[in-house]
Amino acid sequence: MLKVTNVSKYKGMTYMIEFEGKEPEFLNQQTVNMFNLRAGASLPLSAWEDIKAEEEYRKARERALYLLDYKDYSYVDLFHKLEKNYSEETCYRVMDKMVEMGTINDRRYAEGLARHYVEVKKFGRYRALREMRQKGLTAQVAEEALEEYDDTYYERLYELVESKYLRYLDDDKGITRTKNALVRYGYSYDLIKEVLRDIEEEYGGED
């Protein structure tokens, strides 16, 4: 059993919990109030472990909300952020809470990423999918979010070549460099060949 000898405010919302024959511990006021910790209370060791687990959960939950204030995360990505400092059990508990609150929604997150990578960054499907997987999304969720762009890659690639690479298509070396760059953008060889062929037909006769 642990006997609480004193509970006093330490700094801000932090309270110092003093024990008989044990070093003091520090808890947030919310946790102190939740468990009604008072001087003279006797706690089984298992009860104290529950209190410490609740304190860790509170800290991890606040950390998750802090991170989500600045950017969106996938379930997996945020879990990995939290597990650097908190136990696996606590991380799962926090993630369940985030899903319940609606602050974590992988499908909504995937739709936003797909829009960013395809419409803003001008990535092809392969690059967009790879980037989304690296953000912790499953292949299925990422692929579903990219489906709405399946019929747009030709047009986007054509516009990309027109705006950025047209001046490099005067010789074989420039064409090879352009092809390599477009592969890095995530477009397929077949689509690149098709677009470059059509670009040549439209611009090939110009000086």
Side-chain angles (χ1 to χ4, degrees), residues 3-205:
K3 184 171 182 178
V4 178
T5 58
N6 191 44
V7 177
S8 58
K9 190 170 184 178
Y10 177 71
K11 186 187 301 182
M13 297 293 289
T14 301
Y15 276 66
M16 180 169 65
I17 317 301
E18 297 177 82
F19 301 92
E20 187 177 276
K22 182 183 182 304
E23 291 295 315
E25 299 269 4
F26 297 89
L27 299 175
N28 184 269
Q29 182 181 9
Q30 179 181 328
T31 308
V32 171
N33 292 339
M34 179 183 296
F35 291 93
N36 195 29
L37 291 175
R38 297 289 185 270
S42 294
L43 302 171
L45 289 176
S46 60
W48 178 247
E49 290 302 316
D50 290 342
I51 292 171
K52 293 290 285 182
E54 189 64 32
E55 178 72 355
E56 182 181 69
Y57 168 68
R58 183 196 62 78
K59 289 179 179 178
R61 185 184 67 239
E62 289 189 357
R63 177 62 177 167
L65 291 171
Y66 172 81
L67 291 170
L68 288 165
D69 271 345
Y70 288 89
K71 59 177 287 190
D72 285 332
Y73 287 88
S74 68
Y75 184 104
V76 171
D77 216 16
L78 184 57
F79 184 93
H80 288 329
K81 283 276 188 183
L82 294 176
E83 71 173 348
K84 294 176 182 178
N85 297 297
Y86 306 104
S87 70
E88 184 179 89
E89 181 180 353
T90 294
C91 292
Y92 277 120
R93 187 180 172 194
V94 170
M95 295 309 301
D96 286 347
K97 185 63 175 180
M98 295 301 104
V99 171
E100 178 188 327
M101 294 169 60
T103 54
I104 286 287
N105 184 312
D106 275 4
R107 294 189 185 282
R108 183 181 65 223
Y109 179 47
E111 290 169 1
L113 282 182
R115 185 163 52 250
H116 174 71
Y117 288 134
V118 177
E119 296 183 8
V120 179
K121 303 289 283 186
K122 309 298 183 185
F123 289 163
R125 188 179 186 282
Y126 299 113
R127 175 74 179 274
L129 180 61
R130 184 171 73 249
E131 296 287 342
M132 292 170 73
R133 295 283 283 122
Q134 289 176 351
K135 293 291 187 181
L137 293 167
T138 65
Q140 179 180 349
V141 169
E143 287 169 356
E144 288 176 357
L146 289 168
E147 281 179 0
E148 68 172 287
Y149 300 101
D150 283 348
D151 297 329
T152 72
Y153 290 115
Y154 173 90
E155 180 181 353
R156 294 179 190 282
L157 179 55
Y158 198 103
E159 291 175 353
L160 179 62
V161 174
E162 276 189 313
S163 64
K164 194 170 181 179
Y165 295 100
L166 198 58
R167 65 184 182 275
Y168 299 118
L169 302 180
D170 293 335
D171 54 48
D172 289 343
K173 183 178 180 180
I175 291 172
T176 297
R177 288 176 57 193
T178 298
K179 287 180 178 178
N180 291 338
L182 297 176
V183 168
R184 290 193 293 272
Y185 263 87
Y187 293 97
S188 70
Y189 283 106
D190 288 342
L191 186 59
I192 292 169
K193 287 169 57 179
E194 180 183 356
V195 167
L196 291 182
R197 184 188 65 235
D198 293 346
I199 289 280
E200 170 64 22
E201 289 180 1
E202 180 168 351
Y203 292 95

